[in-house]
Amino acid sequence: QTTVKGKVTDDTGMGLPGVSVMVKGTTNGTQTDANGNYALSVPGKNAVLVFSFIGYTAVEKPLNGQATVNVNMAADSKSLSEVVVIGYGTQRREAVTGSVASISGDKLTEVPTANVTQALQGRLAGVDISQTSSKPGATTQIRIRGTRSLTADNNPLIVLDGIPFTGSISDINPNDIKSLDVLKDASATAIYGARGANGVILITTNRGQKNQKARVSYNAYAGSQEIFAKVPMMNGPQLAALRKEAKVYTSNGVDEDDAVNTDWQDLFFKTGAVTSHDIGVSGGTETGNYNFGLGYYKNQAVVPSQQYSRYSFKASMDQNLGKIFRVGFTSNNNYNLNEGGQIGTFGAYAFSPLINPYKSDGSLKRVVNMASGDSYVLTSGVVDSLTNNGLWLNETRGFATYNSFYGEVSIPWVEGLKFRTNLGLDFVNSNNGNFTGQGVNAVNATTVSNAGISNSQTYHWTIENLLTYDKTIGKHNFNVVALYSAEQNKYNRSSVSVKDIPAEAFQFYNLGQAAGEKTIDPNNQDYQLWGLISGMGRIMYSYDDRYLLSATLRSDASSRLAPGHQWHTYPAVSVGWNISKESFFNVSKIDMLKIRAGFGQTSNQAVQPYATLGRLSTRPYNFGDDVYETGYYVSSLPNPKLGWEYSKTTNLGVDFSLFNNRLSGTAEYYVTNTKDILLAVGLPETSGVASITQNVGETQNKGVEISLNGTILDNPDGLTWQAGVNFYTNKNKLVALASGQLRDEGNAWFVGHNINAIYDYEKIGLWQQNDPYRSILEPGTDDDVIGSIKVKYTGEYNADGTPKRAIGEADRQIIDVDPDFQGGFNTRFAYKGFDLSAVAIYRHGGVLISSLYGSSGYLNTLTSRNNNVQVDYWTPDNTNAEYPRPGRHLSGDNPKYGSTLGYFDGSYLKVRTITLGYDFNRSLIKNNKINLKAYFTVQNPFVLFSPYHDQSGMDPETNSYGNENAAVPLSQNLRRILTIGTNTPSTRNYILGLNLTF
Amino acid sequence: CNDLLDEQPRSFYEPGFFKTERGVAGGLTSMYAHLRYMYGQAYYYNTTLTGTDEVTYAQSADGNFKVMDLSGQGIIDPSTSRSDAIWGITFSNINTANGVIENASSIGTISNALIAEAYFFRAFDYFLLVQTFGGVPLDLGSGELKFNNTATRTSVRNTVPEVYTKAIFPDLLKAVADLPAAPRVKGAATKTLARLYLAKAYLTYGWWLQNPNNIPTYPETARTDPDGHDAAWYFQQAYNVANEGIDNPGPFGLQGTYYDVNLGSNDRNNEILLYADHTETSEFYNGGSLIYGSGGAPDNFAGWMMTWNYTNIRSGGVSSVQREAEQHLGRPWTRMCPTIGAIKNTFADKVNDSRYDGTFTTVYRANFQKAEGAPPVVTNANGMQVGPGGAILTFLDNDDPLVTYANGNANIGAGVLPGRADYVIAPSGISRLVYPGLWKLGPYRTDNDGGYGQPNAGSTRPFNIAKFSELYLIAAEAAVKGATTVAGKSARDLVNVLRARAGKWRFDNNGNVAKVADNSAAMTAATPATIDINYILAERSREFYGEGYRWYDLIRTQKWEELSKTYQICGADVGDHTPVTVTRDIKPYLYLRPIPAGQLNSLDMTDAEKQAYQNPGYN
């Protein structure tokens, strides 16, 4: 017997208390003390010590005769893998049988952003986060394992500290987040039943630790933002040449000259800035703990006057009251201010470069005349000056408070039985005010001022009564939960707009002073009240950690559905087998191997309240100049049978850990079938009514998800290299539409295809002089048609080989938009105090729609109506071009079939961040009480493998819903198709930050 | 706790609201408001004119306009045809009318006069549909002419005679019986209005039964009347009903001069029986921006289409005629233009007949002085100076061999005449690029305040739909078709009422000076002794040019191909003043517009059924 001593430290050099130190293959062991030191008697000099601690990768060290063994433990890349949050409780990772993906707060803050979902992009398999706007403070679209529903909501349920979250996820300060867990399959989400079909994201914020001295942390970063890439618009000579070629605009405008070359993007965009400060205090005693945090975030966009700032305050406390009572609360609050959203970027691209915006004295013209008409001149200087003088404002002030309180009783006479009541009280308030001074952004300088306000409030309460029972009998472990909950949400929005504020200093603060028309548009007022009542029971059982079972039954009733169809009950069950715990299992390279399977049902009630009732829409009308009335007509029929949409999911998974936990991973396969889809069915015009919401149709999502995390090199004193990668596919298809119907062309839904399909022609080239059958397929004169877009003909041919008809509607193709596969990877190198890390996302296949190139954007009309993106267009001397002949064969203002010019292969690999950090504790600061780390991050440094990027130089990530940010966007019902439009441009950011703890 | 599951909407109406008195009133208002989605909607407006002898496409025309011209610039098909505007709005309105008619009787307190407005609009929409598309469904899902509360994704078209005899005639007869003589509110339906439509429906159905040029109908059906009458009977009814309208005018009548009918400051005058109203007093109730129109319904932007880009005019380098919210000017879209034939032949008499001057902008006058820092005068044609309000460009009444054109003239390739300070263009030089504007539909605002105003807004004027004057032409047409006339009301007598009025002048619109003249005698003397259909049609064109009647007039009388198969216009390039004759290919199947693609897309029927649903020629 010899004694071995040593110290266990974490990757910052701090001693780690409470680490288990065992002699391998024995029950002999100890724990480290408060400073991380240990001493242990061992049987021989060749024993192997095993160091393990929750949240850290276990380390095995052969003694090799040494008497002192110091160990540096790295935080497990799945640092929370030991305990995951599963909803109404937590579970040890190895006992989990459903599909749960987790990420820790410190991983999320590797990508410094205002919105945690942006940091989540590409980090978790099966969690697809798409950018829907690039404005500061914007939120994202989250899809977990694909899109299930057609017109009902596809957003996952977010649960913040146990309470269903009603606000915007951007209200949550990423620095307050301790962990984020995503429940993906039905067996995991069944406990959230009615709202679980789209997956559940559980966000847990920081709390204080028991017996912890007060600890202060300060995190800050600041940086600049530059446009990722300018839109490649034509320069002066190029546009002048296009105008002559197109012959649509026969004359330059008064302010245009072929000799001028103005770059409007240079005049309009500026350098943006981002700043973030967070300070937190936490601590704890034997019986209680606390945590407070203050945060400040500000992002000034590259678009002048556009900015977002957020002030957040977070507090949580837990306190034992005697032996059996425990109470606590969490409060997340924020105030945010969003400004300048009214400033569009279209003009910066569309303005003709031939315009000379300056008068002879060098000052800017107020209005310029180009061939297509007059325009108000917008440069960053003009916008800044108007904003600073209070003449052009659009600001939204949001205040939100999300609170949960709980009281818990440990029933004294039954060990393991607890009763708990959770109360959630949330309030979200949003005030928008806008003001446009006289003549601002208007061709006519006497255009009257206008102002408006819009206010909305959300009141949300949740009450949950939970009975839990934990019991271990020998190797049998039980956890039983019973729940009854009720929830109600009330939303109210009011909006008023006016014209002609006589004293401009009033802005929007007293609309009653307006001299002009005051409008309360009935379409801009809203009231919604909905409620949900639920009961749930869950049992989790494990035997010796080898055999695992979880079973759930939940019933929900929703006010949104028709009476008689409001209740639904669904079961879920999942099982797991930890093969590596079996005595017969003896594979030295495999540390852990678990297989699991789950099946369950969840549902979706996510139609708007009152959808069962039908609706009258309004039409205002004037009888003469003085009698005003509002008319009504039926736009939606009632449906007294509207019921639940539900999904059945089967999930198979394997979790493993290999090579002394150097490589761990998860692979899963799932199938989700969704039936009785809630669908706003578009009716033919002849029915006299636009739509009705019905339970029709079926969809299916199936996919494979693989995540791997590895430590490739592991030398605490030298180079450590860790890497993680995830890969996932989701095959989404519509299985059925209403009553045997196979296609709904109006909504672009086709059985057997993606829900996100588009229905359009397929460009196969341009018509050339000698192409056969041109005059049959695409009738018209040679001068008009030759050089125009040639699309695929799918019709029949006569015996002599001639096509039977001209190209028309029937030749449109179904184009699936979803990618083949996608995912992300991250890697980290550490060498002494330095570490270098990178996070990247990728997707392959699918279709990217850019309205900058397609006809909806009016930036590729090839008529010189606006400035045009630089494209290689057909002329009689350049017949090998990709883009059509300017000004010929138009449909509307664009080339016929011009929408096909906006479709690109959606593949890309985008490095989101590269960060170089340095830990000062490794050199300058030897004081263990202070931790200081500094880093430099580049966001969006580069994009690879993207055909769109290759063509345009621009960021291939979407930035708009289909019905936004284009001159003639897609219709509302195709909003689901995300596009790249004229939103605030994507940026490349350079950020310097530090983390300080003491 | 079950309270949590109850629903009570508090921010919108559910369909049950239609069963209240207030709901019925709102339903009626929406019937007037629905007019805006057709009348003033420029793409639909285009389908009523482009491709007729009145109008062809202009230089900036997009596909919407070119396909309508039928001159090889594309084909009219279910997705390019813009008659979808009618299809998309009328069925919803018919359903509203069905609901009002059904509910009003169960409420019990709604007057027959109010219910008659719903009958009128149901007939109005069906009449528009049956002319445009042929037979259309009377059953929207819950039975013929019943308020639809069934989500139907199929549709069955009724035949043309069914639509007339089951819906249009009974509804209009009820409307004639129950509507008041004077409107209950400005612009509301009246007995006179209902008579006009009943007379026109009888006339149109008479033509359809007669089918002189063997134009096909759809769904196929025999040209026999289920009510057992023949064409002559309907022509006689048309004559009688129109006559009743003329003899019992109520508050309506003819304006003193033609100029006053369409003068902006005289809108909603007593000659106008129906209009899609707009206003500059309220942006919300106007339904479109008062500052910048985006070119979509419910805005009234039809007037932009026949406005050429006069802002390209330069006088000595100065932009001398700038965009202004004034009836002669307005927002230029250069999408449609008059044919040379319309200017030279239809309006051959520009001296006695005031209707040419009361239809077109033929003189473009200097308004440069309203801009900041403007010079006092500009240098115009022949190096001569023109001051504020002076003529910059004039479209001549007659061709003149002395006109010399040059590309540089006024920057638009205009012509000059010796000794004249204004640039000129002769009738034969009217091109797709430069042509007389449509003064009738020009904007009129009272808030310009001495400046250019808001020329980019949609027109805040009502878009006129039906006029008292048409009663005369309907009666005259019925008379030409053989109706027995009463004394003093022969076809020639009736036409002469309007021609006599057209001879009266109180203002020279394009000369911009008062002009009191009465050329009535000369006008009526020039009327041929025997009136035929072509003369009626020419007279209709002079009276209603550019107001959206023409295509319907030509298909009713089956004269579309005869009168429109060729037209003359000069090309689209600057300085092109060489008229060319363009030939149109007007096949018989084109007399019905295609059922819009949107309807077929949302039908849950087999491809074969959908093909059978579509009008022949468009599959």
Side-chain angles (χ1 to χ4, degrees), chain B residues 360-411:
Chain B
F360 294 102
T361 299
T362 57
V363 179
Y364 286 81
R365 295 184 175 277
N367 64 6
F368 61 87
Q369 73 281 358
K370 295 177 183 176
E372 207 181 313
V377 292
V378 293
T379 306
N380 210 48
N382 294 312
M384 295 165 75
Q385 291 187 326
V386 175
I392 296 287
L393 173 72
T394 301
F395 288 88
L396 300 174
D397 283 355
N398 300 296
D399 287 339
D400 185 336
L402 294 179
V403 176
T404 54
Y405 295 104
N407 282 3
N409 284 349
N411 191 43

Side-chain angles (χ1 to χ4, degrees), chain A residues 11 14 60 78 168 209 427 498 681 700 783 816 818 845:
Chain A
D11 52 5
M14 291 268 281
E60 290 191 15
K78 300 193 303 179
S168 160
Q209 301 295 315
F427 172 66
V498 303
V681 180
Q700 184 184 69
D783 180 66
D816 285 328
D818 290 353

Side-chain angles (χ1 to χ4, degrees), chain A residues 273-309:
Chain A
V274 59
T275 316
S276 174
H277 296 279
D278 282 283
I279 189 156
V281 182
S282 67
T285 64
E286 185 61 36
T287 58
N289 65 67
Y290 64 88
N291 178 302
F292 296 98
L294 279 172
Y296 168 71
Y297 174 87
K298 180 168 182 172
N299 179 5
Q300 155 79 60
V302 293
V303 171
S305 91
Q306 219 173 62
Q307 53 187 357
Y308 172 77
S309 32

